[in-house]
Amino acid sequence: MNDSGSAPESKVDSVRELLTLDELTSRVGMSVRNIRFYTTKGLVPPPIRRGRSGYYSPDHVSRLELVQELQAHGFTLSAIEKYLAGIPADATPEDIALHRTMLAPWQADVPVEMSRAELEKRTGRSLSEDDLATLSALGIVFRTKRGRYEVAVSQLSVGLGLLDLGFPLEAAIAAGEVYADHGRQIAKELNELFRTMVWPVYKESGAPPQKLREVVERIKPLSIASLVAAYEAAMDETRREEIAARSRRTAKRAAKD
């Protein structure tokens, strides 16, 4: 984090939208007290000063939303501090959104119901039907039977970032199917593991079912870290295989010539 009492000038110059403290609390759904506490702890940068007033940038929004995400996964304050310490101080909101995206499939997020007007106020933009369809395919916004919307607030900024990047609706639908298919399989296998290998041990010792629930909650951060590490290793292996395949094709063409 920057210790000078204000955000780096390079970031300030690139900010297109600055929020007041009240606007920030509305955007992230967090109290003034909590925001100031996290700022004091160094989890988010201090406000950007404009005369006597302090303002907040997309960087503040993304870091606060990451804090919320980690809390939802059961991270303690100490664990959150260690996690954020690994993110460079000059990380962009997009960089931070990537961290949140990696956590997203395992988020047990409680949706917040709101009207179309409330949703657009929260996002700070007008949302088209295609935008809403993409956010729905990504598992972030769902239309209810009453014409309102259930919103996974902690994932909203990630979805908006993808909309800004022109993420195709078809790709969002396909990605949602991949997450659902693999998520169900992982959940099934982990449930079987806990049922056959973990619970019998605690049951034999006379521990109540609540004990197993506590174990599951405490192991969440480790599960997330392991899955992220496995995903990154698989991606690296896939890239190496693709590079090797291209090299072989190039060598074959050169041999023919």
Side-chain angles (χ1 to χ4, degrees), residues 49-69:
R49 291 296 171 185
R50 289 285 190 269
R52 295 183 178 180
S53 301
Y55 295 90
Y56 300 84
S57 73
D59 181 54
H60 294 91
V61 174
S62 60
R63 288 180 181 272
L64 286 170
E65 288 177 337
L66 179 56
V67 169
Q68 290 175 314
E69 182 108 4

Side-chain angles (χ1 to χ4, degrees), residues 161-230:
L162 289 172
L163 291 180
D164 290 339
L165 293 171
F167 196 73
L169 173 58
E170 294 78 7
I173 294 173
E177 292 174 352
V178 170
Y179 289 142
D181 290 343
H182 289 278
R184 281 191 294 267
Q185 186 61 31
I186 290 173
K188 181 179 178 180
E189 293 182 12
L190 286 178
N191 181 69
E192 184 67 10
L193 183 152
F194 275 88
R195 187 183 68 81
T196 60
M197 300 180 67
V198 179
W199 173 234
V201 175
Y202 284 93
K203 185 177 181 180
E204 186 176 349
S205 69
Q210 176 62 27
K211 180 68 69 175
L212 182 61
R213 287 195 290 270
E214 291 177 5
V215 170
V216 173
E217 288 300 317
R218 289 179 181 274
I219 205 170
K220 277 183 179 181
L222 292 177
S223 299
I224 294 165
S226 298
L227 288 164
V228 170

Side-chain angles (χ1 to χ4, degrees), residues 26 35 96 102 105 170 177 185-186 200 239 242 248 256:
S26 177
I35 290 174
I96 298 170
M102 297 300 293
E170 294 78 7
E177 292 174 352
Q185 186 61 31
I186 290 173
R239 283 194 292 268
E242 289 176 350
R248 288 193 294 268
K256 289 180 180 180

Side-chain angles (χ1 to χ4, degrees), residues 9-64:
E9 283 300 317
S10 59
K11 282 193 176 183
V12 175
D13 294 340
S14 65
V15 171
R16 292 177 296 176
E17 178 189 9
L18 294 177
L19 304 174
T20 64
L21 182 56
D22 286 342
E23 290 171 334
L24 179 65
T25 60
S26 177
R27 177 69 62 85
V28 300
M30 188 179 291
S31 69
V32 170
R33 180 180 179 181
N34 282 344
I35 290 174
R36 287 175 172 164
F37 172 74
Y38 293 134
T39 302
T40 301
K41 296 292 291 184
L43 300 183
V44 295
I48 299 166
R49 291 296 171 185
R50 289 285 190 269
R52 295 183 178 180
S53 301
Y55 295 90
Y56 300 84
S57 73
D59 181 54
H60 294 91
V61 174
S62 60
R63 288 180 181 272
L64 286 170

Side-chain angles (χ1 to χ4, degrees), residues 7-156:
E9 283 300 317
S10 59
K11 282 193 176 183
V12 175
D13 294 340
S14 65
V15 171
R16 292 177 296 176
E17 178 189 9
L18 294 177
L19 304 174
T20 64
L21 182 56
D22 286 342
E23 290 171 334
L24 179 65
T25 60
S26 177
R27 177 69 62 85
V28 300
M30 188 179 291
S31 69
V32 170
R33 180 180 179 181
N34 282 344
I35 290 174
R36 287 175 172 164
F37 172 74
Y38 293 134
T39 302
T40 301
K41 296 292 291 184
L43 300 183
V44 295
I48 299 166
R49 291 296 171 185
R50 289 285 190 269
R52 295 183 178 180
S53 301
Y55 295 90
Y56 300 84
S57 73
D59 181 54
H60 294 91
V61 174
S62 60
R63 288 180 181 272
L64 286 170
E65 288 177 337
L66 179 56
V67 169
Q68 290 175 314
E69 182 108 4
L70 293 170
Q71 287 177 325
H73 283 300
F75 280 54
T76 63
L77 178 60
S78 176
I80 292 174
E81 289 176 328
K82 291 179 180 178
Y83 189 97
L84 292 180
I87 299 177
D90 60 351
T92 65
E94 291 75 19
D95 293 331
I96 298 170
L98 178 59
H99 283 267
R100 296 186 60 239
T101 300
M102 297 300 293
L103 296 171
W106 311 101
Q107 169 80 16
D109 198 13
V110 178
V112 176
E113 185 175 304
M114 56 185 73
S115 67
R116 176 77 169 264
E118 290 170 335
L119 174 58
E120 293 187 339
K121 180 180 180 181
R122 186 68 178 259
T123 61
R125 68 176 73 187
S126 176
L127 296 169
S128 68
E129 289 301 317
D130 283 347
D131 291 339
L132 292 171
T134 299
L135 293 174
S136 177
L138 291 170
I140 298 172
V141 175
F142 297 98
R143 195 192 306 266
T144 69
K145 293 181 179 179
R146 295 179 296 169
R148 292 170 64 81
Y149 297 86
E150 289 188 345
V151 183
V153 175
S154 64
Q155 302 304 321
L156 192 53

